Amino acid sequence: MDEGLLHDEGLIRRAKALACTAPLHDLDANKGKVEWADAKVYQMAEIGLHAIDQVAIAMDFDTGASRRHVLDRVQRFVARQAPNRTQEEHARVARWVLDSLINHGDVEKAFHRPYGAVDADGVYRVMTFPFKLIVERRDSAGVLYLHASHEALNVLVGALDTDVESAQEAAEVKLANLIRRGRLADAKQVAEQARIRTIQYGELIHAQLEATRRNIASVDWLEKVPDLLTEALAHVQERVRAERAIAKNMAEARDEAQNLVRKRQAAELVVIVEDCIRRHIRLQQRLLEAREVFRAEQDRQQFSLKPQRSTFDLFGQLLRPALGLTVAEAVVPVDCFFARATGLGTQDIPRLATLVPALLRPAPQPARFAGPVEDPQVEPLEDVARFTSEQWEMAEQLLHLPGSVRSLSSLLQEAAQLDADLPALVALLAVYAYNPDSGAAQRRGDEHVRLAVRADTVLVSAGFHGDDLWLTTAQVLPDTMGGTNQTRDGGPGK
């Protein structure tokens, strides 16, 4: 068998990591389906990455980001992409992107992507990879907050299969080198990635503690988790020392800088590094409390288990021993078993007046058939159409106005002379033409579309009252502008 076709874990990890980026690409692929705005101007994938970034930055060890806070920050980013649009549209785009990343349209709120793998027999099989990007959780007080998943953090920092601790150390070394070389813009990007790595490291510890609270037997507290806690404590102590030195140097560079741009970049770096220090201190506190959590959960789960009772072997524990005893010796254990197995019971004392008729009552003969089947009463449905095909044809002829413009009042008067019910149909079609879907007409291949605009006169005609309308028929031009709706007025302007 070809060795290259065997089970490849690296290929599977990369396929899963690539699948995590699919919801971001779907945002741009589906923005053309947005009906409440022209969303082509927005870069939805970038907005999605910015939303994940805001959720991840606001996350802590056991808390998350407020939905209102995330939407406010994302709305500002959306406004940068389209400053000429309204604030209502910016807010709606931000909500649409965030809800798409939470996957509100799915019951499980999880994305499902297929990926292939070669099993031990060399057969290629297609499986489904479920994952989430942003999840909704509740804290101990019942407050709903947003939480970025492990897959979302991988998508955010661009490291699709990297050890967390080694990536954190590499980011710290790279950050120090960039600062020494004066490349503060690049150092800011590395510092932001290091902060995300810190959040991801905390999520790894948090997942182990949550699994311990659910079922202590599912977590290896003998070797794996103690080694992980020891390594994590050493890692956090080293990172705190390094980050404090970096923050101190950057604070001095910020105070001594004469260039305003360099001063601002240094100040931003100080804020990010201090946030990393704060997160590492919180993580260190949780690591020190982790073994206490293990011992508390061990006591709670050990003494809260339901009592287990073994089943009784009737053949081996009662029948076979009883057969070896005499009748007088076997009466006591057998009577004890049946007294407890059958439970309590009350004996009914029959009366002669009810016992004799019950004994003499003949047994009922079961019926072979259930009975006659009644035929259902079926009534024909009546035609509920209000207008006939002839009335539709007359209305279309009246409203087909290429090269001319007519008022709705004059059309209603002419329709009333032709048919008594025709004005209602003409008025209905005229109101529908007040806001025509020219794009749909263009996609259907229609040559004309009916248009209606408001006139400055009052409508009092054929029993209808309100604002009068000007009606005309416009020609639909072919699509030559990349999907832009194009119509040409068929008559003089009014």
Side-chain angles (χ1 to χ4, degrees):
M1 181 181 295
D2 189 357
E3 295 295 334
L5 297 179
L6 294 179
H7 188 72
D8 189 352
E9 288 291 343
L11 180 61
I12 296 175
R13 285 196 301 268
R14 284 178 289 167
K16 290 182 178 180
L18 186 62
C20 294
T21 64
L24 297 174
H25 300 300
D26 291 342
L27 291 175
D28 279 317
N30 297 328
K31 65 182 180 182
K33 300 179 182 179
V34 175
E35 299 178 353
W36 38 265
D38 184 10
K40 296 179 180 179
V41 68
Y42 299 106
Q43 301 299 322
M44 296 299 185
E46 296 179 6
I47 299 175
L49 285 174
H50 187 72
I52 296 174
D53 194 359
Q54 298 306 314
V55 174
I57 292 174
M59 284 168 49
D60 211 331
F61 189 83
D62 50 2
T63 58
S66 170
R67 179 183 176 89
R68 181 179 300 178
H69 170 76
V70 174
L71 287 177
D72 181 64
R73 301 301 295 268
V74 175
Q75 182 179 348
R76 298 179 188 178
F77 183 76
V78 174
R80 293 292 183 89
Q81 293 190 359
N84 298 327
R85 303 293 179 88
T86 62
Q87 294 184 359
E88 291 77 8
E89 181 175 317
H90 297 158
R92 197 166 183 180
V93 170
R95 287 195 302 269
W96 182 76
V97 171
L98 183 60
D99 292 341
S100 299
L101 295 178
I102 301 175
N103 200 12
H104 274 162
D106 192 271
V107 177
E108 302 176 359
K109 295 186 179 180
F111 299 96
H112 298 82
R113 295 289 171 177
Y115 72 97
V118 180
D119 58 13
D121 298 331
V123 180
Y124 182 83
R125 302 183 185 277
V126 178
M127 292 169 284
T128 302
F129 171 51
F131 65 94
K132 297 180 180 180
L133 293 182
I134 299 179
V135 297
E136 294 177 318
R137 295 180 180 175
R138 294 189 182 274
D139 57 12
S140 57
V143 179
L144 190 68
Y145 63 88
L146 301 178
H147 196 88
S149 66
H150 182 74
E151 293 83 3
L153 294 178
N154 277 336
V155 172
L156 178 63
V157 300
L160 301 181
D161 186 19
T162 309
D163 177 66
V164 175
E165 183 177 358
S166 61
Q168 176 75 14
E169 294 177 355
E172 297 288 353
V173 174
K174 185 177 180 181
L175 176 61
N177 291 331
L178 289 174
I179 291 174
R180 285 196 300 268
R181 295 163 59 186
R183 298 175 59 182
L184 299 185
D186 296 334
K188 177 186 176 182
Q189 181 180 3
V190 175
E192 291 175 346
Q193 293 181 355
R195 177 168 57 181
I196 296 300
R197 285 300 174 193
T198 302
I199 298 172
Q200 195 172 7
Y201 205 96
E203 283 298 300
L204 180 62
I205 303 298
H206 181 72
Q208 297 293 333
L209 295 180
E210 286 297 318
T212 301
R213 292 186 177 97
R214 290 192 298 268
N215 184 10
I216 195 172
S218 63
V219 183
D220 183 10
W221 277 92
L222 184 62
E223 295 181 358
K224 181 179 178 180
V225 177
D227 294 342
L228 177 62
L229 295 178
T230 303
E231 295 174 1
L233 280 172
H235 165 78
V236 168
Q237 293 173 358
E238 294 175 1
R239 299 280 68 76
V240 169
R241 287 195 296 266
E243 289 165 354
R244 282 177 174 171
I246 293 174
K248 181 180 179 180
N249 295 333
M250 289 311 304
E252 295 176 355
R254 175 197 59 193
D255 298 335
E256 297 174 358
Q258 300 297 328
N259 190 346
L260 295 179
V261 176
R262 184 176 179 83
K263 183 181 287 291
R264 178 178 58 82
Q265 292 175 345
E268 292 176 350
L269 266 177
V270 171
V271 173
I272 296 175
V273 174
E274 288 180 350
D275 184 57
C276 290
I277 296 174
R278 181 187 64 84
R279 292 179 183 274
H280 274 129
I281 293 176
R282 286 290 304 274
L283 179 59
Q284 184 181 27
Q285 180 182 0
R286 296 298 182 180
L287 290 173
L288 294 175
E289 298 173 353
R291 289 180 171 84
E292 293 294 334
V293 172
F294 164 69
R295 285 190 287 268
E297 290 299 323
Q298 186 182 32
D299 295 339
R300 183 184 67 85
Q301 297 183 25
Q302 180 178 2
F303 294 105
S304 64
L305 294 177
K306 295 181 179 180
Q308 301 289 334
R309 293 186 178 182
S310 59
T311 58
F312 183 74
D313 186 4
L314 183 61
F315 178 78
Q317 295 179 335
L318 179 63
L319 180 58
R320 293 190 62 178
L323 291 176
L325 302 176
T326 62
V327 175
E329 295 172 345
V331 168
V332 177
V334 173
D335 183 61
C336 180
F337 168 76
F338 280 101
R340 288 165 173 76
T342 55
L344 299 176
T346 58
Q347 183 178 2
D348 295 332
I349 302 177
R351 294 184 301 168
L352 186 61
T354 57
L355 179 60
V356 174
L359 294 175
L360 297 179
R361 184 184 302 116
Q365 295 294 331
R368 184 176 180 183
F369 302 102
V373 178
E374 299 181 358
D375 295 332
Q377 299 294 330
V378 180
E379 296 182 359
L381 295 177
E382 297 180 357
D383 188 6
V384 295
R386 180 179 177 182
F387 305 107
T388 63
S389 58
E390 291 78 6
Q391 290 173 338
W392 278 95
E393 293 178 0
M394 289 188 292
E396 292 291 343
Q397 291 177 1
L398 287 174
L399 294 173
H400 187 62
L401 303 169
S404 62
V405 178
R406 293 189 59 180
S407 63
L408 177 59
S409 57
S410 63
L411 291 173
L412 292 177
Q413 293 176 1
E414 184 177 350
Q417 297 175 0
L418 298 176
D419 192 301
D421 294 333
L422 190 59
L425 180 58
V426 172
L428 178 63
L429 295 177
V431 172
Y432 182 74
Y434 187 76
N435 186 18
D437 191 353
S438 57
Q442 189 179 49
R443 290 191 297 271
R444 291 194 303 266
D446 297 343
E447 297 180 356
H448 298 85
V449 63
R450 190 178 300 114
L451 299 178
V453 296
R454 181 180 176 182
D456 294 333
T457 58
V458 179
L459 172 66
V460 181
S461 179
F464 292 91
H465 302 271
D467 294 333
D468 204 353
L469 300 175
W470 292 112
L471 294 168
T472 186
T473 301
Q475 181 182 0
V476 179
L477 299 180
D479 186 5
T480 59
M481 300 295 291
T484 304
N485 298 337
Q486 303 176 69
T487 57
R488 184 170 61 192
D489 192 356
K494 289 289 182 181

